[in-house]
Amino acid sequence: MVIKGEVIAGQQLGRRMGFPTANIAAENIDIPNGVYASTVELDGKRYRAMSNIGVRPSVDGRQRLLETYLFDFDGDLYGRTISVRLDKRIRDERKFGSVEELQAQLKSDAEVISSL
């Protein structure tokens, strides 16, 4: 599935954990919540990525977002339109007991995705 949308501002928690994400509103996207290996197309270039679609239960559990971390990318995407192709579901979305637990899981997810 490919999701195309405008990158909106988030809480910047991913950035503070070392995984800055491009966020797209996902209320009307019909796909199961979870973490996915993904590919982002931006300005004619493709980036391997890690995406989470869901309500982010460890943070606030309210707004459904597609959050995507682009490997090997450094730049500002706010207000830009990107295409995110969800390639492979890695795991279910779940609630963690602390930000540190979430950060450790993100590192593990990134290793799994990098090995695909």
Side-chain angles (χ1 to χ4, degrees):
M1 168 177 257
V2 176
I3 300 165
K4 187 174 182 176
E6 181 180 335
V7 176
I8 59 174
Q11 297 176 327
Q12 298 192 351
L13 179 59
R15 179 178 310 279
R16 292 191 296 274
M17 291 190 297
F19 294 94
T21 59
N23 303 314
I24 298 172
E27 293 90 0
N28 299 318
I29 297 171
D30 188 23
I31 190 165
N33 289 355
V35 176
Y36 293 80
S38 56
T39 304
V40 172
E41 190 162 321
L42 176 67
D43 296 333
K45 187 173 179 184
R46 289 192 174 141
Y47 296 89
R48 292 185 69 195
M50 172 172 70
S51 298
N52 179 76
I53 188 164
V55 295
R56 302 163 304 129
S58 300
V59 180
D60 65 16
R62 288 177 273 165
Q63 182 183 12
R64 190 166 192 252
L65 290 175
L66 172 64
E67 300 175 291
T68 300
Y69 169 71
L70 287 71
F71 294 101
D72 302 318
F73 178 84
D74 184 30
D76 182 4
L77 296 174
Y78 292 124
R80 303 210 34 212
T81 298
I82 62 172
S83 294
V84 181
R85 186 181 74 215
L86 302 177
D87 299 317
K88 182 177 180 181
R89 193 162 191 266
I90 302 300
R91 66 172 175 84
D92 291 337
E93 180 180 52
R94 66 179 221 237
K95 184 172 182 165
F96 294 92
S98 69
V99 171
E100 292 77 21
E101 286 179 31
L102 173 59
Q103 183 178 27
Q105 183 63 55
L106 289 173
K107 287 178 182 176
S108 176
D109 293 340
E111 289 174 10
V112 168
I113 291 168
S114 292
S115 72
L116 296 177

